[in-house]
Amino acid sequence: MKVYVLNGPNLGRLGSREPDVYGATSHAQLAEHLVESGAVLGIDVVVRQTDHEGEMIGWLHEAADEKAPVIINAGAWTHYSHAIGDAARLVPLYVEVHISNVYAREEFRHRSVLSAAASGIIVGCGVGGYDLALAHVAGLVLDA
């Protein structure tokens, strides 16, 4: 089974961007960790990051065509990109992840265009939230 982990704008700067909010783990370290964790679960994890909205939509379409689950941290797009929300609804299931507790931050971060159709939402658990999402997806797919 393949699972896509799709990260949006500025997440390529993990480890150097606001480490007090997002932690010290780089995106490369996170990707390596998730690929290794997926292998233990028998899952092929593909980790991608983009700062370009159209590219994210294309990746969601790719996952939909493959009927592959997605773990998505859409970054700021979470709060306003209905195009990404519409594309996410095409995949068989997705889990929305936020590294920080968005509800303890600016008001605009309290709204998500992804949440209503997500099979799960993980907020404020640091990069460990991706591990929780991966375990959730593995459990749902293996139980099916």
Side-chain angles (χ1 to χ4, degrees), residues 14-40:
L14 286 177
S16 61
R17 177 184 175 223
E18 298 181 82
D20 55 316
V21 175
Y22 300 105
T25 303
S26 72
H27 191 270
Q29 291 168 323
L30 173 63
E32 182 179 350
H33 169 76
L34 292 172
V35 168
E36 291 171 359
S37 296
V40 170

Side-chain angles (χ1 to χ4, degrees), residues 55-105:
E55 188 168 37
M56 177 66 81
I57 291 166
W59 291 342
L60 288 164
H61 290 172
E62 181 182 345
D65 291 345
E66 294 177 16
K67 298 183 178 16
V70 170
I71 295 167
I72 185 168
N73 182 340
W77 293 325
T78 300
H79 314 296
Y80 68 87
S81 178
H82 294 280
I84 288 176
D86 289 346
R89 285 174 183 77
L90 298 172
V91 301
L93 71 93
Y94 67 91
V95 177
E96 179 182 351
V97 172
H98 299 283
I99 295 168
S100 67
N101 179 356
V102 294
Y103 300 103
R105 299 182 65 195

Side-chain angles (χ1 to χ4, degrees), residues 99-117:
I99 295 168
S100 67
N101 179 356
V102 294
Y103 300 103
R105 299 182 65 195
E106 302 93 340
E107 184 72 27
F108 80 90
R109 296 184 194 275
H110 300 183
R111 183 178 184 286
S112 169
V113 298
L114 296 168
S115 294

